[in-house]
């Protein structure tokens, strides 16, 4: 199922201190929407410093795709052994030099003003973490039933689309890297209580 990132304009003076953003994307054997994700990040109204791809795929398809990509936003590629999404994100954050980290998944295509809206919210709320909103799209009858039974058609709060200050992420201890799913839900609950 493909996801579409959506989020809650800024005058440029306010944004100057928050322009140092890097997007971290874990990938494992799922390149279907990755070019769309790259285009979405490349065309941001507030472009990030770079995209960090942490690839734990069993083949070189993602590496080949990145080698052929010629976008405006530089892509840093890291190939690792098999890892769950949380572990891959933790590795990606370690590679980031930016003050802010933005998280996407390999199927989450951001709207063109996603980062700008997140930064605007961070400034307005004086927040160190802004949670993303995702609308889940479905292209088959079965996927539409699945979406109706789980997420519905309204935006849902998710880790993909979120931004966080790197220092706050580090203080949180990062994601639990040994679990396959819900590590993002657990982390969000933990960071909200900090």
């Amino acid at each position: 199922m493909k996801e579409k990132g959506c989020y809650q304009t800024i005058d440029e003076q306010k944004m100057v201190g928050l322009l140092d953003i890097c997007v971290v994307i874990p990938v494992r054997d799922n390149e279907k929407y990755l070019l769309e994700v790259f285009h979405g990040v490349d065309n941001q109204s507030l472009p990030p410093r770079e995209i960090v791809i942490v690839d734990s795929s069993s083949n070189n398809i993602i590496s080949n795709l990145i080698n052929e990509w010629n976008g405006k936003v530089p892509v840093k590629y890291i190939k690792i052994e098999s890892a769950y999404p949380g572990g891959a994100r933790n590795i990606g954050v370690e590679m980031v030099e930016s003050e802010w980290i933005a998280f996407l998944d390999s199927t989450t295509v951001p709207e063109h003003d996603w980062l700008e809206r997140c930064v605007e919210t961070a400034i307005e709320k004086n927040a160190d973490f802004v949670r993303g909103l995702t609308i889940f799209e479905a292209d088959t009858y079965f996927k539409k039933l699945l979406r109706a039974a789980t997420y519905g058609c309204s935006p849902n709060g998710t880790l993909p689309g979120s931004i966080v200050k790197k220092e706050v992420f580090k203080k949180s201890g990062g994601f639990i890297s040994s679990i396959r799913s819900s590590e993002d839900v657990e982390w969000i609950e933990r960071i909200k209580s900090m």
Side-chain angles (χ1 to χ4, degrees), residues 83-134:
Y84 293 132
R89 286 189 195 102
N90 289 340
I91 291 168
V93 169
E94 288 298 319
M95 305 303 294
V96 169
E97 295 177 17
S98 299
E99 179 184 4
W100 285 83
I101 300 156
F103 293 110
L104 288 178
D105 283 345
S106 61
T107 58
T108 307
V109 179
E111 291 184 349
H112 78 283
D113 60 348
W114 155 58
L115 285 175
E116 185 175 350
R117 287 180 178 192
C118 285
V119 168
E120 180 179 57
T121 301
I123 290 169
E124 287 175 4
K125 306 285 186 193
N126 195 27
D128 295 333
F129 171 68
V130 177
R131 190 171 183 180
L133 294 174
T134 301

Side-chain angles (χ1 to χ4, degrees), residues 17 22 34-35 41-42 47 89 100 135 144:
C22 178
L34 199 54
L35 281 179
V41 174
D42 218 39
R89 286 189 195 102
W100 285 83
I135 297 173
K144 288 177 183 178

Side-chain angles (χ1 to χ4, degrees), residues 144-164:
K144 288 177 183 178
L145 288 175
L146 182 62
R147 178 184 62 186
T150 53
Y151 303 110
C153 297
S154 299
N156 290 275
T158 59
L159 178 72
S162 298
I163 65 169
V164 64

Side-chain angles (χ1 to χ4, degrees), residues 4-23:
K4 184 172 182 177
C6 64
Y7 311 88
Q8 307 192 298
T9 288
I10 297 180
D11 77 36
E12 290 186 23
Q13 286 185 332
K14 285 184 177 179
M15 289 195 308
V16 170
L18 290 174
L19 293 179
D20 194 22
I21 300 173
C22 178
V23 178

Side-chain angles (χ1 to χ4, degrees), residues 23-186:
V23 178
V24 174
I25 305 172
V27 183
R28 182 178 180 150
D29 296 322
N30 191 359
E31 73 282 348
K32 185 175 181 180
Y33 300 108
L34 199 54
L35 281 179
E36 280 185 72
V37 174
F38 283 174
H39 282 288
V41 174
D42 218 39
N43 294 312
Q44 286 297 300
S45 56
L46 177 63
R49 176 194 284 202
E50 67 183 351
I51 303 169
V52 173
I53 299 293
V54 184
D55 180 16
S56 63
S57 299
S58 59
N59 55 46
N60 292 324
I61 293 173
I62 304 297
S63 174
N64 295 338
L65 192 109
I66 291 168
N67 287 334
E68 294 171 10
W69 174 251
N70 191 21
K72 297 177 278 190
V73 178
V75 177
K76 185 184 287 183
Y77 175 79
I78 303 139
K79 178 74 172 177
I80 62 172
E81 294 295 318
S82 181
Y84 293 132
R89 286 189 195 102
N90 289 340
I91 291 168
V93 169
E94 288 298 319
M95 305 303 294
V96 169
E97 295 177 17
S98 299
E99 179 184 4
W100 285 83
I101 300 156
F103 293 110
L104 288 178
D105 283 345
S106 61
T107 58
T108 307
V109 179
E111 291 184 349
H112 78 283
D113 60 348
W114 155 58
L115 285 175
E116 185 175 350
R117 287 180 178 192
C118 285
V119 168
E120 180 179 57
T121 301
I123 290 169
E124 287 175 4
K125 306 285 186 193
N126 195 27
D128 295 333
F129 171 68
V130 177
R131 190 171 183 180
L133 294 174
T134 301
I135 297 173
F136 293 88
E137 296 180 351
D139 58 358
T140 67
Y141 180 72
F142 175 75
K143 289 178 183 177
K144 288 177 183 178
L145 288 175
L146 182 62
R147 178 184 62 186
T150 53
Y151 303 110
C153 297
S154 299
N156 290 275
T158 59
L159 178 72
S162 298
I163 65 169
V164 64
K165 277 194 172 177
K166 184 176 180 179
E167 69 181 64
V168 172
F169 180 84
K170 291 240 182 222
K171 285 180 188 173
S172 77
F175 298 101
I176 298 172
S177 59
S178 60
I179 57 175
R180 169 65 186 100
S181 63
S182 298
E183 83 293 339
D184 53 346
V185 175
E186 186 278 333

